[in-house]
Amino acid sequence: MNIGEIARRAGVSRSTVSYVLSGKKAVSEPTRQRIQAVIDELDYRPNATARALREGRTHTLGLVIPPAAQRLTDMQLGFVASVVEAAARVDLDVLLSPSGGDHDRSFERIVTSRRVDGVILMEIRLEDDRVSRLRQTGLPFVTIGRTAEPGGMSWVDVDYAGLISRCVGHLADLGHRQIALVNRSAELVASGYGPGHRAQAGFAAAVSERGLTGVEVCCGDDASAGEACVEELLAAHPQVTAIATINEAALPGIQRALDAAGLAVPRDFSVAGVAARHWAEDFRPALTAADLPMLEMGADAVSLLMECIATPQTPPRHRLYSPPISLRSSTGPVRAR
């Protein structure tokens, strides 16, 4: 069923039917009632594309995620879920689109079609071509993470530099002098991944300020990579007594490697980091960590994007999250070996 059939049955032109559906032009009441009676009789429902063209809105947000071929980490899935949930609360749909590698066409369709009213972009690099492209198109967007020069854009992010610095300070207060940073994968860091670089910066600053010996290692986002990483770390740097990490997916493997080495946490070795609460609580013993507020961040990203869509001239806004370090049981005084 289409507008043409409604027009034929009501004895009016297609444009008259369109005026009734859109409300953009006045139509006499008898004509409007005749058209509405046909619409009701046929149970006509305009499709989403037609409605978007009439209203200038799709009531759909685009969420650009890492390539689907790369298994999303629990943290990434948490951000996806938080955005979808926040959008649903305000009756908006979410269209997921992978980007990177073979998925550049999907991203291009998102930014050039009229399928979404705005975009939330995840996994931001310090220099990010996707951000530049969105700026060119004028499509409203918000990022989870930020570029090296984030002025002129709205974003939400975690203060990885400050949080890792505080983790190192906490470990130093417990007497640890040789501390390692277990970062995200070497590929991510080499690509300019913001959290990885900011964690490095915070770690280096804290180690220098406290006069410590710091070791930085990259680690893949899974348990087996975490296990191999810590095995190699302990072999190459046996004097290290503590780890600070932003790689929550590696935590089970970190735990296995320490167990295999006969190092009890926190008696012989301490671990702290930045992680989602359930990852921290699943570590044994529970991880001293800054708990990431993923639900709040997703909701804020949706709220900022709605502002960008509704009032494009509003100055960009941002929020940098710096949650407290929850002192649990994975950190303790250094023990002489």
Side-chain angles (χ1 to χ4, degrees), residues 5-289:
E5 178 64 14
I6 295 172
R8 187 186 68 78
R9 294 196 181 200
V12 298
S13 67
R14 291 171 60 94
S15 61
T16 302
V17 176
S18 179
Y19 294 150
V20 169
L21 291 172
S22 66
K24 288 184 177 180
K25 189 173 181 179
V27 175
S28 70
E29 185 60 21
T31 300
R32 190 197 68 76
Q33 290 180 359
R34 188 163 72 252
I35 292 171
Q36 188 62 53
V38 173
I39 290 173
D40 292 342
E41 177 187 351
L42 299 176
D43 194 27
Y44 173 76
R45 296 292 183 272
N47 65 40
T49 301
R51 187 167 59 250
L53 290 172
R54 291 198 312 274
E55 299 176 356
R57 291 279 301 277
T58 67
H59 302 284
T60 301
L61 307 180
L63 177 59
V64 180
I65 61 176
Q70 300 176 8
R71 183 174 59 85
L72 298 185
T73 67
D74 194 72
M75 186 183 299
Q76 291 166 341
L77 288 171
F79 282 130
V80 171
S82 68
V83 168
V84 171
E85 182 177 326
R89 287 199 295 267
V90 290
D91 199 26
L92 296 175
D93 296 325
V94 176
L95 177 62
L96 298 182
S97 173
S99 70
D102 296 333
H103 298 283
D104 287 339
R105 289 193 302 274
S106 175
F107 174 70
E108 190 63 22
R109 283 195 296 271
I110 282 284
V111 301
T112 57
S113 70
R114 299 186 61 178
R115 299 165 69 189
V116 300
D117 298 322
V119 168
I120 295 174
L121 189 62
M122 291 174 52
E123 299 294 286
I124 304 302
R125 272 54 172 173
L126 297 177
E127 302 293 333
D128 202 309
D129 291 340
R130 300 169 303 169
V131 171
S132 301
R133 182 71 180 108
L134 284 166
R135 281 174 161 159
Q136 289 174 355
T137 65
L139 183 68
F141 72 96
V142 170
T143 61
I144 298 178
R146 66 195 193 279
T147 60
E149 300 292 337
M153 53 188 274
S154 292
W155 51 266
V156 299
D157 201 3
V158 174
D159 182 14
Y160 285 99
L163 293 176
I164 283 296
S165 178
R166 282 157 51 191
C167 286
V168 171
H170 168 64
L171 293 167
D173 289 342
L174 292 170
H176 296 276
R177 311 303 298 169
Q178 310 253 356
I179 301 174
L181 170 66
V182 175
N183 208 329
R184 299 286 295 278
S185 73
E187 293 78 12
L188 268 180
V189 175
S191 73
Y193 180 62
H197 281 263
R198 293 187 174 99
Q200 284 181 331
F203 182 76
V207 164
S208 175
E209 179 182 344
R210 300 299 290 262
L212 310 174
T213 298
V215 178
E216 297 182 23
V217 295
C218 289
C219 178
D221 295 330
D222 58 71
S224 60
E227 185 172 10
C229 174
V230 173
E231 286 175 353
E232 294 171 8
L233 172 68
L234 295 176
H237 304 279
Q239 298 308 309
V240 166
T241 60
I243 283 172
T245 185
I246 64 168
N247 194 330
E248 62 178 18
L251 284 170
I254 291 174
Q255 186 167 47
R256 289 204 299 260
L258 293 174
D259 289 343
L263 296 174
V265 177
R267 185 193 66 192
D268 305 314
F269 203 96
S270 289
V271 184
V274 182
R277 180 186 295 273
H278 76 272
W279 277 106
E281 293 178 344
D282 284 347
F283 197 76
R284 289 293 177 269
L287 185 73
T288 290

